[in-house]
C-alpha cells in the first residue's frame, strides 16, 4: 500500500470543499468499573489503528493544502455499555463539554500527539445516536410513502420524482430497502470485465478487481437493505447515521479496511448512497478509501449530486427491476 499515492489522490480531488471531515473507521467501546476499553480484545485491532493512522496522515496533508480538516472517531456502543442509555447520555455530555480524553484509545492519542493535532479537531460520535437519527429518517420516509400510497393513484411516480428511488420489502414485510438507477449503470464495470458476465450468481468479484471497479459488488446486488422489523438498523443505515450528525457545510472522506470486515466497503458505499437519497437536501461530496487484504486501495468519489441525479422515469425503472425483485423475493412498497 502506497500511502503517499493515497494522499496525492485525495489532495488532487478538486471538488473537495474547504471543510472536510475524515472518518477514520470505527472501534467498539466497552465500559467497566475500571473505565473504558476499546476493541474486541481490549484495544483497537491493527486494522483499526491503520485506518486511524492513515486518517491522520491525510489530515496533515490536507492542512498543507489550506483545508479546514477534522478527524471523526465513530464508537460502536451497542454491546459494551453497562449503564445503558443513562451512561450514553453521560458520554455524550462529556464529549460536548470537551471531556473527550477518556473516549479515545491510547494508541490513537499517541498518533494524534505525534502530529500535534489538538482534541478540538477530533469529533467523537456514538453509533447508537447515529442509528436513532437514521431510524427517524426511515420512519419519516415510510410514513410519507404510505401517505402518497393512500392519496395518489400513481404514487410510485411521485415517490420516484421525490427521491429518485424505489422502496422495497420482502414478502413477509420484514425489510425496508431501496434501489436507485445509479446502481444499474454498469458501463464502467462492463468495460473492465469485458461484458456483463460478472453479474451472474456463479461469478465472484475478487478484492483485486475492486481496485479498478470499487462499485462492482454493489452493482451486482443493487438492493440496499436498511432496516429489519423488530428494530434492527442495518450497517448502511448506521453509516448514514454518522452522516446525519453533520450538515452540508462539510465534505467527507471515509477510510476503512477489509481485514476486519470483508464487506465494509459495500456497507460504507450503501450508507453514502442512502444518506444522499433520504437526508433532506443532502449536498456533500463523499470520498471513500477502502484498503483490501492485499493492501490494494479502492478509491471512489460521489459528487454531491451524483446519486440523486435522475436519468430515467419511474415506469422504465419499475420494469427494469422486475428481475431483481423476483430474484430476491421482494416487492415494491
Amino acid at each position: 500500500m502506497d500511502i503517499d499515492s493515497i494522499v496525492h489522490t485525495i489532495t488532487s480531488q478538486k471538488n473537495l470543499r474547504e471543510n472536510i471531515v475524515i472518518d477514520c473507521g470505527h472501534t467498539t467501546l466497552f465500559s467497566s468499573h475500571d473505565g473504558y476499553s476499546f476493541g474486541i480484545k481490549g484495544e483497537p485491532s491493527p486494522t483499526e489503528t491503520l485506518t486511524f493512522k492513515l486518517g491522520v496522515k491525510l489530515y496533515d496533508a490536507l492542512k498543507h493544502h489550506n483545508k479546514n480538516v477534522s478527524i471523526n472517531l465513530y464508537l460502536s456502543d451497542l454491546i459494551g455499555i453497562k449503564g445503558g442509555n443513562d451512561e450514553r447520555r453521560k458520554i455524550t455530555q462529556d464529549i460536548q463539554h470537551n471531556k473527550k480524553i477518556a473516549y479515545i484509545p491510547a494508541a490513537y492519542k499517541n498518533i494524534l500527539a505525534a502530529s500535534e493535532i489538538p482534541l478540538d479537531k477530533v469529533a467523537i460520535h456514538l453509533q447508537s445516536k447515529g442509528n436513532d437519527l437514521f431510524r427517524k429518517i426511515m420512519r419519516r420516509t415510510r410514513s410519507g410513502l404510505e401517505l402518497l400510497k393512500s392519496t395518489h393513484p400513481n404514487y410510485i411516480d411521485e415517490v420516484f420524482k421525490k427521491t429518485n428511488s424505489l422502496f422495497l420489502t420482502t414478502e413477509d414485510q420484514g425489510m425496508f430497502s431501496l434501489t436507485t438507477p445509479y446502481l444499474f449503470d454498469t458501463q464502467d464495470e462492463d468495460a473492465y470485465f469485458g461484458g456483463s458476465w460478472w453479474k451472474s450468481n456463479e461469478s465472484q468479484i475478487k478484492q483485486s478487481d475492486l481496485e479498478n471497479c470499487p462499485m462492482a459488488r454493489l452493482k451486482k446486488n443493487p438492493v440496499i437493505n436498511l432496516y429489519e422489523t423488530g428494530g434492527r438498523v442495518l450497517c448502511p443505515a448506521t453509516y448514514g447515521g454518522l452522516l446525519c450528525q453533520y450538515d452540508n457545510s462539510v465534505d467527507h472522506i471515509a477510510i476503512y479496511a477489509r481485514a476486519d470486515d470483508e464487506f465494509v466497503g459495500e456497507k460504507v458505499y450503501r450508507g453514502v448512497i442512502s444518506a444522499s437519497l433520504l437526508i433532506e437536501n443532502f449536498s456533500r461530496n463523499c470520498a471513500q478509501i477502502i484498503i483490501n487484504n492485499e493492501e490494494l486501495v479502492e478509491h471512489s468519489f460521489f459528487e454531491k449530486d451524483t446519486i440523486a441525479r435522475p436519468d430515467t422515469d419511474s415506469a422504465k425503472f419499475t420494469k427494469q427491476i422486475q428481475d431483481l425483485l423476483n430474484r430476491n423475493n421482494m416487492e415494491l412498497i
Side-chain angles (χ1 to χ4, degrees):
M1 178 183 59
D2 184 354
I3 292 180
D4 289 336
S5 68
I6 297 172
V7 171
H8 174 73
T9 298
I10 290 295
T11 54
S12 63
Q13 198 85 57
K14 295 180 180 178
N15 291 338
L16 280 174
R17 294 178 295 182
E18 179 181 355
N19 299 319
I20 300 172
V21 174
I22 303 174
D23 172 32
C24 308
H26 66 273
T27 192
T28 307
L29 176 68
F30 292 91
S31 63
S32 71
H33 64 277
D34 293 324
Y36 291 97
S37 62
F38 305 86
I40 301 300
K41 296 183 178 180
E43 60 183 6
S45 71
T47 300
E48 291 167 347
T49 303
L50 172 65
T51 58
F52 198 82
K53 283 181 179 177
L54 181 53
V56 168
K57 191 171 183 66
L58 274 176
Y59 175 99
D60 290 339
L62 288 166
K63 287 290 289 182
H64 283 108
H65 283 74
N66 298 316
K67 300 292 188 180
N68 180 26
V69 197
S70 62
I71 298 284
N72 181 78
L73 176 58
Y74 207 19
L75 297 178
S76 301
D77 62 317
L78 300 181
I79 61 173
I81 297 300
K82 302 297 185 184
N85 288 334
D86 287 341
E87 185 171 1
R88 291 187 178 95
R89 281 190 285 271
K90 168 66 165 53
I91 293 171
T92 299
Q93 289 173 359
D94 284 349
I95 293 169
Q96 289 173 344
H97 290 90
N98 287 320
K99 299 176 181 178
K100 302 175 183 177
I101 201 71
Y103 309 108
I104 301 175
Y108 292 9
K109 293 174 191 173
N110 293 335
I111 295 168
L112 292 168
S115 287
E116 299 182 347
I117 298 176
L119 286 184
D120 63 0
K121 287 295 183 179
V122 181
I124 303 174
H125 292 101
L126 299 182
Q127 181 182 332
S128 58
K129 176 67 177 298
N131 283 2
D132 287 344
L133 290 171
F134 212 78
R135 188 184 288 112
K136 290 177 182 177
I137 287 175
M138 290 187 287
R139 287 174 178 166
R140 190 160 59 244
T141 301
R142 186 68 183 264
S143 296
L145 176 59
E146 296 297 340
L147 178 62
L148 282 172
K149 198 172 182 178
S150 65
T151 57
H152 286 72
N154 193 14
Y155 77 94
I156 289 177
D157 187 53
E158 294 295 323
V159 169
F160 189 76
K161 286 178 180 176
K162 184 176 181 180
T163 66
N164 197 34
S165 310
L166 292 178
F167 295 94
L168 320 173
T169 189
T170 46
E171 292 180 350
D172 63 0
Q173 306 294 306
M175 189 77 71
F176 181 67
S177 310
L178 66 79
T179 190
T180 186
Y182 169 81
L183 296 173
F184 288 80
D185 179 1
T186 61
Q187 291 184 19
D188 291 343
E189 290 76 16
D190 291 345
Y192 172 78
F193 287 109
S196 60
W197 59 267
W198 59 277
K199 299 178 189 177
S200 70
N201 291 334
E202 294 75 25
S203 65
Q204 286 192 343
I205 297 170
K206 301 175 183 178
Q207 285 197 13
S208 55
D209 293 321
L210 298 174
E211 180 185 23
N212 297 297
C213 283
M215 299 292 131
R217 285 179 175 172
L218 203 66
K219 293 183 178 182
K220 182 178 177 178
N221 182 23
V223 175
I224 300 177
N225 297 323
L226 296 171
Y227 186 80
E228 284 184 335
T229 300
R232 186 174 174 225
V233 175
L234 303 178
C235 291
T238 290
Y239 193 76
L242 172 61
L243 298 179
C244 283
Q245 298 182 68
Y246 289 92
D247 60 29
N248 288 332
S249 66
V250 300
D251 284 346
H252 298 267
I253 300 172
I255 306 173
Y256 284 79
R258 294 188 185 273
D260 288 342
D261 183 346
E262 165 75 12
F263 297 100
V264 71
E266 288 68 38
K267 293 172 182 177
V268 172
Y269 303 148
R270 289 185 173 109
V272 173
I273 292 170
S274 302
S276 70
L277 295 170
L278 299 185
I279 296 176
E280 189 172 3
N281 298 320
F282 187 92
S283 179
R284 309 174 212 172
N285 299 309
C286 295
Q288 293 72 230
I289 298 293
I290 307 296
I291 305 162
N292 71 25
N293 292 346
E294 300 174 24
E295 294 198 342
L296 299 173
V297 175
E298 306 158 31
H299 170 250
S300 57
F301 187 72
F302 295 114
E303 291 189 56
K304 54 188 178 181
D305 59 352
T306 298
I307 309 302
R309 186 187 300 126
D311 54 7
T312 187
D313 61 46
S314 64
K316 289 180 181 178
F317 190 50
T318 301
K319 184 176 181 180
Q320 187 177 12
I321 70 169
Q322 287 307 308
D323 286 344
L324 171 73
L325 295 177
N326 293 336
R327 287 198 311 270
N328 290 276
N329 296 316
M330 302 189 87
E331 58 189 35
L332 290 173
I333 295 178

